[in-house]
Amino acid sequence: MNNNQINMYEFYEHMKEGKVVEPESAMAFAFHKFSQDALKITTELNSKYHTPEEIVEIFTELTGKDVDKSFRLFPPFYTDCGKNIKIGKNVFINSCCKFQDQGGITIDDGCLIGHNVVITTLNHLEEPSQRQSILPKAVIVGKNVWIGSNVTIVPGVTIGDNAIIGAGSVVVKDIPKNCVAVGNPCKVMKEI
């Protein structure tokens, strides 16, 4: 099979349903094509100065979706897909962030993402004979969330509106709205 057999609708539906991606499948080939496209676009983004308006245009090309003119990003930025990132209004992403977005990353309005944040949406299966297979799970970041520097968010996590995630945290389970959460693993410290 080749990547021409997978269109964007099929890709989004497969990821949304959290279906396993088998090695050498049409979906695995689509992953490879998307990663090559993302490498090309992020190389352009990261290789020279761009105005804020140009960054919005480049991010629109990367995601394949309209990105609001209020979006701000300090490069460099890295992703191995790009096509399954959804960005709200007034979002700021600081430098050196890494998004593994095949499974889907939604960042809602008013979010602040600190330096070196890693958001992952893929896991491998535990069974050694199936280890090359990939399991996608979306990450959802609610409105007005502040994610501190060097945070890692694992597949399947939802962070509630207005939450603050302390620097260096590893978020392995859902975080409720209106709280401060810190640590490895990340735990709620107080409500706000």
Side-chain angles (χ1 to χ4, degrees), residues 36-172:
Q36 294 305 302
D37 293 345
L39 285 169
K40 182 178 177 185
I41 295 167
T42 55
T43 297
E44 167 63 24
L45 174 67
N46 298 332
S47 66
K48 63 182 180 182
Y49 172 78
H50 296 281
T51 67
E53 295 78 17
E54 290 170 333
I55 289 174
V56 168
E57 289 176 19
I58 293 169
F59 221 79
T60 295
E61 179 185 3
L62 176 67
T63 62
K65 301 170 193 72
D66 287 336
V67 175
D68 191 78
K69 65 182 180 178
S70 63
F71 173 69
R72 291 297 176 257
L73 170 87
F74 286 174
F77 173 82
Y78 305 95
T79 183
D80 54 4
C81 181
K83 298 303 181 208
N84 214 357
I85 300 172
K86 296 174 189 160
I87 300 286
K89 296 178 180 178
N90 297 306
V91 168
F92 172 70
I93 300 175
N94 220 321
S95 61
C96 298
C97 290
K98 299 169 185 75
F99 288 9
Q100 180 194 55
D101 66 283
Q102 287 92 332
I105 296 174
T106 299
I107 300 175
D108 213 331
D109 298 346
C111 287
L112 304 172
I113 311 292
H115 294 88
N116 299 309
V117 168
V118 175
I119 302 177
T120 65
T121 65
L122 300 176
N123 262 327
H124 293 279
L125 300 183
E126 291 180 8
E127 175 62 39
S129 65
Q130 297 177 328
R131 189 75 40 90
Q132 298 298 318
S133 297
I134 298 170
L135 181 63
K137 289 185 181 178
V139 169
I140 300 169
V141 179
K143 287 182 168 65
N144 301 311
V145 170
W146 174 17
I147 299 174
S149 295
N150 297 301
V151 168
T152 297
I153 303 170
V154 303
V157 165
T158 296
I159 300 174
D161 293 350
N162 307 312
I164 298 171
I165 308 299
S169 296
V170 178
V171 187
V172 298

Side-chain angles (χ1 to χ4, degrees), residues 20-26 28-29 130-134:
V20 171
V21 177
E22 301 289 343
E24 304 300 319
S25 66
F29 284 106
Q130 297 177 328
R131 189 75 40 90
Q132 298 298 318
S133 297
I134 298 170

